[in-house]
Amino acid sequence: MNIEVSEAPIATVGELARVSIAFTVDRACEVSASRAGVGAFVLSEHPIAAPYVKDYDCVSGEGPAQWAGRFDTSNWGFIRAQSNGRLMGGAVIAFRTENVAMLEARTDLAVLWDIRVSPDVRRQGVGSALFRAAEAWAVAKGCRQLKIETQNINVVACRFYARHGCAVRAIHRFAYPELPNEVQLLWYKDLAVPR
């Protein structure tokens, strides 16, 4: 498959809602401290008894069409993946935005806010192409780190981020009071900023 990855105006990010972010939850990750030292974690997988479908876009107030109404997205990046004119996926990067706690009030940190690939082309390199483009975008902005939030129930995403050199640096077991079985995982990747 020929994948064309390019930056698009952030004002067009609503089109990303056409790409499903839904996935089947049939496993979860347990997080434990690593013997490697403070702040290092090990993830182990286990099956769950009753698999279900998770769709972040179904959460009230979430989804690409709502972001501009909730945040100042003028510093954000939107990277599209297309093949033969069809939108296959996208990545959104948050950067230098007041009132976005995930950015930690840092000017050298970017957050991979969203990354999604059409279900029919997952595991074909689209996500990796988008991730590399998001890294390059952050480096071009002078960022030293890329931060990503996911949950312990998104095992495929956890594997993906680990494979791309990210490391879990923080866990929050009670980040989602309405979802007590989900644990927030914060991944970081150090970026090579040219001197």
Side-chain angles (χ1 to χ4, degrees):
M1 173 175 42
N2 181 31
I3 305 167
E4 184 182 312
V5 176
S6 60
E7 187 170 358
I10 192 64
T12 65
V13 76
E15 72 183 32
L16 198 52
R18 296 191 325 245
V19 177
S20 175
I21 197 167
F23 61 96
T24 300
V25 177
D26 58 2
R27 307 185 71 66
C29 290
E30 280 296 322
V31 183
S32 57
S34 168
R35 291 188 174 133
V38 175
F41 300 98
V42 174
L43 302 180
S44 58
E45 299 174 22
H46 62 85
I48 63 166
Y52 60 96
V53 173
K54 178 79 176 189
D55 187 346
Y56 296 110
D57 287 348
C58 289
V59 177
S60 179
E62 292 297 328
Q66 281 77 45
W67 297 332
R70 293 179 55 208
F71 308 104
D72 174 5
T73 59
S74 59
N75 290 327
W76 292 25
F78 173 32
I79 299 166
R80 264 192 287 220
Q82 299 182 148
S83 181
N84 298 321
R86 177 182 166 221
L87 183 64
M88 310 297 275
V92 177
I93 310 102
F95 175 66
R96 287 192 181 191
T97 308
E98 287 186 35
N99 302 321
V100 174
M102 287 283 290
L103 286 166
E104 304 172 19
R106 291 174 51 186
T107 59
D108 65 343
L109 177 70
V111 171
L112 183 58
W113 194 261
D114 187 278
I115 185 169
R116 60 180 71 197
V117 175
S118 289
D120 63 318
V121 294
R122 289 178 183 165
R123 294 174 185 74
Q124 296 183 38
V126 177
S128 292
L130 287 166
F131 189 85
R132 287 190 300 271
E135 283 183 285
W137 188 94
V139 167
K141 299 291 184 190
C143 294
R144 296 188 178 283
Q145 282 188 319
L146 185 64
K147 180 180 180 180
I148 307 108
E149 172 188 8
T150 193
Q151 295 73 39
N152 67 318
I153 51 99
N154 196 342
V155 173
V156 172
C158 291
R159 290 182 197 151
F160 177 84
Y161 298 131
R163 196 168 55 249
H164 285 84
C166 305
V168 175
R169 293 288 178 242
I171 61 169
H172 300 284
R173 294 194 185 280
F174 308 107
Y176 316 109
E178 67 286 358
L179 301 167
N181 295 323
E182 294 188 18
V183 176
Q184 181 188 62
L185 306 177
L186 297 177
W187 299 78
Y188 288 81
K189 180 167 186 183
D190 293 335
L191 302 173
V193 179
R195 294 184 183 257

